[in-house]
């Protein structure tokens, strides 16, 4: 049994070096898995405060401004200083959806639900970059328009 484990380890390491030799494009660049690669630079974050069109009906909206150093932890959520129900009118920022104030049973809460409190688990900042794949999504309004909307 003790002879099999080192042999298995050698086979795994050999497999990793074969994969690394394929030069698969990753954020690490073309560095081997056991080496420190130079990270690929991302495009800068957009800071235009303009909402983007969504690519699918259930896609969470992207964040149209920088959020560097925004504190979001158990005690503080910097996003809610502008996007909460109380502050949205003064800040002219869109209020978080009413679904964020509901618990898992559909009951409305006085504050943002703990399930929806950490904004960046769904929402991301916008980058001005080319799409990696073509998007062919068409929303219902676009489909109805092509079919001669009967409404």
């Amino acid at each position: 049994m003790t002879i099999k484990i080192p042999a298995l380890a050698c086979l795994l390491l050999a497999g990793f070096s074969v994969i690394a030799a394929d030069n698969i494009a990753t954020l690490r660049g073309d560095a081997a898995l056991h080496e420190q690669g130079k990270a690929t630079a991302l495009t800068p974050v957009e800071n235009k405060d303009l909402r983007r069109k969504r690519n699918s009906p259930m896609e969470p909206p992207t964040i149209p401004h920088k959020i560097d150093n925004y504190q979001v932890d158990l005690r503080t959520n910097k996003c809610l200083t502008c996007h909460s129900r109380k502050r949205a009118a003064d800040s002219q920022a869109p209020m978080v959806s009413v679904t964020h104030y509901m618990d898992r049973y559909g009951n409305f809460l006085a504050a943002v639900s703990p399930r929806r409190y950490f904004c960046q688990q769904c929402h991301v900042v916008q980058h001005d970059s080319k799409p990696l794949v073509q998007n062919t999504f068409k929303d219902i309004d676009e489909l109805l328009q092509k079919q001669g909307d009967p409404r």
Side-chain angles (χ1 to χ4, degrees):
M1 185 76 156
T2 57
I3 296 172
K4 292 180 182 177
I5 293 174
L8 180 61
C10 289
L11 285 173
L12 286 173
L13 288 174
F16 287 137
S17 64
V18 169
I19 292 171
D22 288 342
N23 292 330
I24 299 170
T26 67
L27 290 177
R28 298 177 68 246
D30 59 359
L33 290 175
H34 63 280
E35 297 174 359
Q36 179 66 37
K38 184 176 179 182
T40 304
L42 296 174
T43 57
V45 172
E46 285 186 5
N47 200 30
K48 300 176 184 176
D49 279 338
L50 298 173
R51 290 191 213 177
R52 279 194 176 166
K53 180 182 174 190
R54 297 186 196 190
N55 293 314
S56 66
M58 298 304 288
E59 177 186 8
T62 56
I63 303 168
H65 56 80
K66 291 183 180 181
I67 57 169
D68 298 344
N69 301 319
Y70 271 37
Q71 183 177 352
V72 179
D73 56 34
L74 292 175
R75 299 189 195 318
T76 306
N77 184 327
K78 174 69 173 161
C79 303
L80 295 176
T81 58
C82 295
H83 295 280
S84 68
R85 283 192 294 208
K86 294 178 183 175
R87 305 218 177 154
D90 293 336
S91 68
Q92 293 298 298
M95 184 186 87
V96 295
S97 167
V98 293
T99 60
H100 290 54
Y101 289 89
M102 295 168 64
D103 66 11
R104 71 176 73 191
Y105 305 109
N107 301 317
F108 284 96
L109 307 170
V112 171
S113 168
R115 298 181 325 135
R116 302 289 187 100
Y117 184 78
F118 295 98
C119 308
Q120 283 185 278
Q121 74 184 29
C122 297
H123 303 278
V124 297
V125 293
Q126 296 174 169
H127 288 268
D128 188 19
S129 56
K130 294 188 297 185
L132 298 175
V133 295
Q134 182 182 3
N135 182 3
T136 59
F137 170 76
K138 293 178 179 30
D139 67 11
I140 190 66
D141 293 329
E142 192 175 347
L143 292 173
L144 289 173
Q145 189 176 28
K146 283 185 177 181
Q147 295 177 357
D149 188 355
R151 288 187 270 164

